């Protein structure tokens, strides 16, 4: 099967994935805050995060992740749509957003516009 | 509206109040957005004779209809104001994420007027507009400011999604070439608009939005975007820029003999080996880019030589040329430190490099005594450059003099001919004794000696030999420069970067751009109306400058470019033959012999009665 592979070290922060996602799901609308992929920007580190399942409750994780010698609260990198964070939710109405890999068979639009190949759609056994 | 979001936010700092206005669709058709729209608003609302640092001057942050749409390079926005450095109309151009976020908050344009009694910053979160005290931020460097502003935002994603335009100490202290910086990654550096922000007691603007930009014809738009992305992957010049940015232009300029060296005394630099691609790559940690830009031209650089501290997000050619060869500095690693100082204190590396280079020549020729500076200032003195940059940003010591710019420095020392610039704006790093078209571009750009309003390398350097215009020839350059200026104005007004215009043989971009613009806006642009909008804005900028007191005498170049033959290199013996190009240029522009638009031209542009 194919999986969406994220290599954050190749991401340069253009956010075309957010645009592509928005245009795919919202037809003629560009709104990154409604995208199912977001790029976390911390100075010059760019980490694409793809929306996963909704969780009903705030979790109790107490983890720190180190990327590029900078520390992140694991919560910031979490793909879940959850009650305590603003991302992966429709603004105002709070409906959870989840990546559906663009159709059947999956063919994600975000990958098509990722010029640096930070996002690839690859066959895994 | 599609493409545009249709709203203008106006903040009055004197009253501490704001209003939201509709964007007039007719105005949007006539001036498109960003640079063109900014020029129109400035022209309508600000007296060209006003003191640029008075409350009567305004700052117009303007996005274009393609900003934030995903059109490749569509991150751009402009800030227009009367320049405190030049006294002319100015527009500084930004990228990163600020302009896109302004549209996501629901505004095409942000107009800032008046002057706050106390230091403030503007917070824009969708419809929630606040003026907040900034006394605690005053005096902070750019990265300290950004960190302090984000630190008080409790939600980490919201903090990171908030994009900040700020000034450093240089803007607060009204350094004439102070910049407006965006987050911690580069700025809107030319023409001193950071000083205009400082004069208004405005430390920063923070913006975050949850709104949408809509596209008129999404299918056509997606197709047009994909076509551009595919084309660039096959284009040799785009591939040369992609991931590299402009720094490799340093060695190219040196080989071509047009690299500004030692205050443009020559065009080849004996220390160029300190700037090879190999050294550049050693310093490059990674590359980054602006919103929706596949060029990712911004090299994040840290010096591998521990002698030189600091870090730069986006080292570029102009900085290397003007702080480097132009000051006789032979190490690219030293320029990382120098650039970092400029970014943190918040001022233009280009004007700074030119001003220090000018001071160095004045010193070496005995026109500027050591006692005035406090130390010897020969070309190549790296430590002196670092020290003067720190002094400029804080307006301390001799830096207080340099903070007025190279024009004022050369005047002060009694040698105005050693100022390398036009209309008081310091010249870019390309030598115009070699590139004749560039010379005409420098002489006629509304904001002063500016390489990027007619980037003639697209005709004079990049194309394969059989399609290239000989840089040393003046024939045909007037028409080329005029055409390039008009199309550049259109790109600047749409919200796209100059990179989107830069290909080895510049044909077809107009059609490509029209396709994107029409798919996004559906507003009914034609090739003619789009190009006319560019020419209209160019002429309106000209009219602003004429009303500000500029004349054809200001459409000139430093005496060195016109009279002193290039001493060495491939272009040895050449001067810029501006007089062979300028009259033809005026004629093609529909301007009279004094460089004033004729009544017929004004009528053609719908600018009747403006003069």
């Amino acid at each position: 099967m194919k999986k969406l592979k994220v290599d954050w070290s190749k991401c340069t922060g253009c956010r075309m994935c957010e645009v592509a996602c928005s245009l795919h799901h919202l037809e003629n609308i560009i709104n990154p805050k409604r995208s199912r992929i977001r790029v976390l920007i911390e100075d010059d580190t760019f980490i694409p995060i793809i929306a996963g399942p909704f969780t009903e409750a705030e979790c109790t994780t107490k983890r720190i992740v180190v990327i590029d010698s900078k520390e992140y609260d694991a919560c910031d990198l979490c793909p879940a749509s959850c009650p305590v964070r603003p991302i992966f939710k429709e603004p105002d109405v709070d409906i959870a957003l989840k990546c559906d890999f663009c159709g059947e068979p999956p063919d994600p639009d975000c990958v098509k516009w990722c010029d640096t190949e930070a996002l690839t759609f690859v066959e895994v056994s | 509206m599609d493409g545009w979001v249709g709203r203008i936010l106006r903040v009055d700092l004197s009253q501490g109040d704001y209003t939201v206005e509709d964007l007039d669709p007719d105005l949007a058709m006539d001036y498109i957005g960003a640079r063109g729209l900014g020029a129109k608003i400035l022209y309508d609302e600000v007296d060209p004779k006003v003191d640029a640092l008075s409350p009567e001057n305004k700052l117009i942050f303007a996005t274009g209809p393609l900003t934030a749409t995903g059109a490749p390079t569509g991150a751009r926005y402009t800030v227009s104001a009367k320049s405190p450095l030049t006294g002319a109309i100015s527009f500084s151009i930004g990228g990163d994420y600020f302009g896109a976020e302004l549209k996501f908050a629901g505004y095409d344009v942000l107009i800032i007027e008046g002057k706050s009694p106390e230091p403030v910053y503007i917070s824009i979160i969708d419809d929630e507009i606040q003026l907040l005290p900034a006394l605690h931020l005053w005096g902070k460097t750019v990265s300290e400011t950004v960190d302090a502003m984000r630190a008080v935002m409790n939600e980490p994603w919201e903090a990171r999604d908030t994009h900040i335009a700020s000034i450093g100490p240089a803007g607060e202290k009204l350094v004439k070439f102070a910049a407006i910086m965006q987050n911690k990654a580069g700025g809107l550096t030319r023409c001193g608009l950071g000083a205009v922000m400082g004069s208004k007691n405005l430390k920063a603007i923070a913006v975050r939005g949850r709104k949408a930009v809509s596209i008129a014809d999404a299918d056509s738009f997606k197709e047009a975007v994909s076509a551009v992305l595919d084309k660039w992957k096959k284009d040799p010049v785009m591939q040369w820029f992609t991931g590299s940015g402009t720094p490799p232009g340093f060695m190219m300029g040196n080989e071509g003999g047009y690299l500004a060296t030692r205050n443009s005394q020559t065009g080849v630099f004996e220390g160029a080996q300190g700037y090879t691609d190999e050294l550049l790559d050693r310093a490059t940690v990674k590359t980054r880019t602006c919103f929706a830009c596949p060029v990712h031209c911004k090299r994040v650089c840290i010096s591998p030589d521990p002698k030189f501290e600091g870090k730069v997000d986006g080292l570029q050619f102009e900085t290397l040329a003007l702080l480097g060869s132009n000051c006789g500095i032979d190490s690219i690693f030293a320029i990382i430190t120098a650039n970092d100082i400029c970014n943190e204190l918040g001022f233009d590396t280009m004007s700074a490099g030119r001003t220090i280079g000018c001071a160095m020549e004045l010193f070496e020729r005995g026109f500027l005594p050591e006692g005035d500076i406090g130390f010897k200032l020969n070309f190549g003195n790296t430590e002196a450059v670092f020290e003067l940059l720190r002094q400029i940003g804080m307006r301390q010591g001799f830096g207080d003099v340099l903070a007025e710019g190279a024009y004022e420095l050369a005047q002060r020392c009694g040698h105005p001919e050693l100022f390398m610039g036009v209309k008081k704006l310091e010249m870019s790093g390309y030598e115009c004794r070699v590139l004749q078209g560039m010379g005409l571009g420098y002489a006629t750009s509304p904001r002063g000696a500016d390489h990027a309003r007619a980037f003639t390398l697209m005709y004079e350097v990049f194309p394969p030999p059989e399609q290239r215009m000989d840089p040393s020839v003046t024939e045909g350059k007037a028409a080329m420069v005029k055409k390039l200026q008009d199309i550049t104005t259109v790109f600047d007004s749409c919200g796209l970067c100059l990179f989107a215009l830069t290909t080895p043989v510049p044909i077809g971009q107009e059609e490509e751009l029209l396709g994107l613009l029409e798919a996004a806006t559906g507003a009914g642009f034609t090739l003619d109306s789009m190009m006319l909008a560019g020419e209209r804005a160019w002429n309106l900028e000209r009219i602003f400058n004429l009303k500000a007191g500029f004349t054809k005498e200001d459409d000139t170049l430093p005496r060195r470019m016109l009279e002193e033959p290039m001493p060495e290199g491939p272009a040895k013996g050449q001067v810029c033959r501006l007089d062979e190009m300028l009259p033809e240029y005026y004629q093609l522009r529909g301007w009279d012999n004094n460089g004033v638009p004729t009544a017929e031209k004004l009528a053609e542009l719908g600018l009747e009665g403006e003069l």
Side-chain angles (χ1 to χ4, degrees), chain A residues 12-16 19 27-33 38 41-44 46 76 86-87 92 113 115-116, chain B residues 69-70 97 101 155 157 160-161 184 209-211 213-215 218 226 286-289 292 300 311 313:
Chain A
T12 58
C14 77
R15 298 170 62 193
M16 280 297 265
V19 174
E27 291 178 13
N28 71 329
I29 295 286
I30 296 142
N31 185 349
K33 309 303 186 296
R38 292 298 318 276
I41 302 170
E42 180 66 34
D43 289 342
D44 48 35
F46 306 95
D76 295 357
I87 63 160
D92 303 323
W113 279 0
D115 202 66
T116 62
Chain B
T69 59
Y97 307 107
E101 201 66 26
E155 210 298 311
W157 268 96
R160 292 188 178 99
D161 277 341
K184 301 179 193 171
R210 304 190 304 169
K211 295 189 182 180
V213 175
S214 66
I215 297 295
S226 296
K286 65 186 300 180
T287 60
R288 64 177 299 169
T289 196
V300 179
K311 179 183 163 201
D313 274 22

Side-chain angles (χ1 to χ4, degrees), chain B residues 363 366-377 388 391 397-399 401 412:
Chain B
F363 172 80
F367 304 146
L368 175 58
E370 185 183 336
D372 283 15
I373 311 163
F375 41 83
K376 288 195 193 320
L377 191 58
L388 287 176
Q391 288 186 4
F398 192 61
V401 173
R412 177 185 182 271

